[in-house]
Amino acid sequence: MTPAPPVDTIDLLHRARGLAGRTVAEIALSLGLAVPELGTRGKGRIGNLVEKALGATAGSAAAPDFPHLGIELKTIPVDGSGRPLESTFVCTISLGDADTTSWETSLVRAKLAHVLWLPIVTARGRPAAERRVGTPLLWQPTADQEAILRADFDDIMGRIGVGGVEGLTARAGRWLQVRPKARTGRARTWSFGPEGELIATVPRGFYLRARFTQALLRDPSAVPA
Amino acid sequence: MTPAPPVDTIDLLHRARGLAGRTVAEIALSLGLAVPELGTRGKGRIGNLVEKALGATAGSAAAPDFPHLGIELKTIPVDGSGRPLESTFVCTISLGDADTTSWETSLVRAKLAHVLWLPIVTARGRPAAERRVGTPLLWQPTADQEAILRADFDDIMGRIGVGGVEGLTARAGRWLQVRPKARTGRARTWSFGPEGELIATVPRGFYLRARFTQALLRDPSAVPA
DNA sequence: TAGGATCCACTGGTGGATCCGT
DNA sequence: ACGGATCCACCAGTGGATCCTA
């Protein structure tokens, strides 16, 4: 019942376009799956559903959703006019490697190198089943865009190197930012404090600000503020 | 329904003696739990049951079962005359640290520093529910015993340092031995080969040979072959 | 007999994201 | 608007051990 992986990029894009206009309920039904609930329950379930619908490789960490194509799938909740309602999670940040990781070798660069954006038209307060897939966009950063992402990355990693991760706020970064991930007070990861001492901290992730993804969805080569 | 932790060593020993002579079925019933199946299903379930019955801390890794007492609980299947039917698993071996770990700081020493042995009288082929708790033994290694355990540990770690973990067999060690742990071909851990190269291997654990535990149960200060 | 192979329950960490006060 | 907090599914790894052939 689960579709095979797409044979190539064209195939993937065709399939994604085939989902456009369909509701979450319809997609779930066609896969023989339960319609995901949302709200405070099951925040990531639409993302998982769409992955299955497009034949993405299941649950493979540190690899793109479509490994043979090198393409990452990202759903993004948008309002009726196509504006993102949320920032977009990119990946977890390796807090221990702040001083030895470069943009070139970073996971965040790998994730953003080639993305299939799939807007999910979302009316707040309505059942998830009603949400509808919008027009997909296959995107690779332009040189200008990547330069800014790299600058954000270097800025963030530099701040961690100087003051430790606890001194970093979500205010750093023009398009990329770092915010907490996972339930506060439960998950723990290891990092370094201002004096270089080893400390336990909440896991954090890279996110793309909504103002960047908003511009992107309208013009893939946009360079917004 | 789950007992509170024992307040002190005497309390623990009293409780353990209170289990002596009782069957697995009786203990499960008194805790309001299902009687564990065994055989090829649920090999560790009696151990878990007894932990609960004695108020051990649940599922705490790298800590003794009774942290405030520093005591480790080990069930051990024995025949009608009290002879162990199996070797006893002690703990996982840290393969990456072979050259930097000493007996003094090792997990295996910590685990064996103070053990509450609880024999489980086991007739092969009979239902697990019928198994009966034997006479508990609270044990700490004598100086002579610890010297041999340390020698085994050093021997094993030395062999790993020389030939890598893949050259190590369960034949090494007088009382302690190293054997595979977890389903072959599934779990993987990282180690070093003969040339110092990083390799993936099956996880392994320290076990106490049955000839040692057999002597121990008859005479806590025994120094068998 | 015992070395090598294997089994189940549980949970912490990861990947998928959205919630919600200020 | 947005920074900080939080939610669920899934799975590999760990802890509890015993099985099973040669």
Side-chain angles (χ1 to χ4, degrees), chain B residues 4-210:
Chain B
V7 297
D8 58 21
T9 304
I10 301 298
D11 183 23
L12 173 59
L13 190 52
H14 283 166
R15 291 192 197 186
R17 286 179 176 154
L19 293 182
R22 301 179 65 190
T23 65
V24 165
E26 291 166 358
I27 295 170
L29 189 64
S30 72
L31 290 174
L33 298 174
V35 175
E37 304 170 38
L38 266 203
T40 60
R41 303 181 71 77
K43 295 179 179 178
R45 299 187 60 177
I46 291 182
N48 297 149
L49 179 67
V50 172
E51 285 182 349
K52 286 199 184 80
L54 293 176
T57 304
S60 59
D65 294 306
F66 304 97
H68 53 303
L69 306 178
I71 295 178
E72 183 72 18
L73 174 66
K74 288 291 177 193
T75 60
I76 183 168
V78 298
D79 66 15
S81 54
R83 293 168 56 101
L85 298 171
E86 293 289 345
S87 56
T88 301
F89 174 70
V90 180
C91 62
T92 297
I93 176 173
S94 293
L95 293 166
D97 310 335
D99 52 345
T100 60
T101 304
S102 69
W103 168 254
E104 303 302 339
T105 60
S106 68
L107 185 55
V108 54
R109 175 173 182 269
K111 290 274 187 187
L112 295 180
H114 207 166
V115 178
L116 176 63
W117 294 102
L118 206 55
I120 307 292
V121 182
T122 300
R124 279 279 162 75
R126 303 291 305 166
E130 292 181 4
R131 297 190 185 182
R132 205 173 282 278
V133 174
T135 303
L137 169 65
L138 196 54
W139 171 78
Q140 299 183 74
T142 67
D144 285 352
Q145 288 171 335
E146 181 167 343
I148 294 178
L149 292 169
R150 176 206 300 263
D152 282 348
F153 179 88
D154 290 343
D155 177 25
I156 288 167
M157 288 315 206
R159 290 179 193 229
I160 293 176
V162 170
V165 69
E166 296 295 0
L168 182 66
T169 93
R171 291 173 181 83
R174 181 168 157 190
W175 296 344
L176 271 180
Q177 65 177 170
V178 169
R179 299 219 309 283
K181 187 75 169 65
R183 181 164 25 176
T184 304
R186 296 259 306 178
R188 306 260 81 181
T189 193
W190 295 99
S191 183
F192 298 97
E195 310 302 328
E197 74 280 18
L198 196 61
I199 57 174
T201 68
V202 165
R204 287 167 171 81
F206 283 106
Y207 293 77
L208 289 174
R209 294 182 186 276

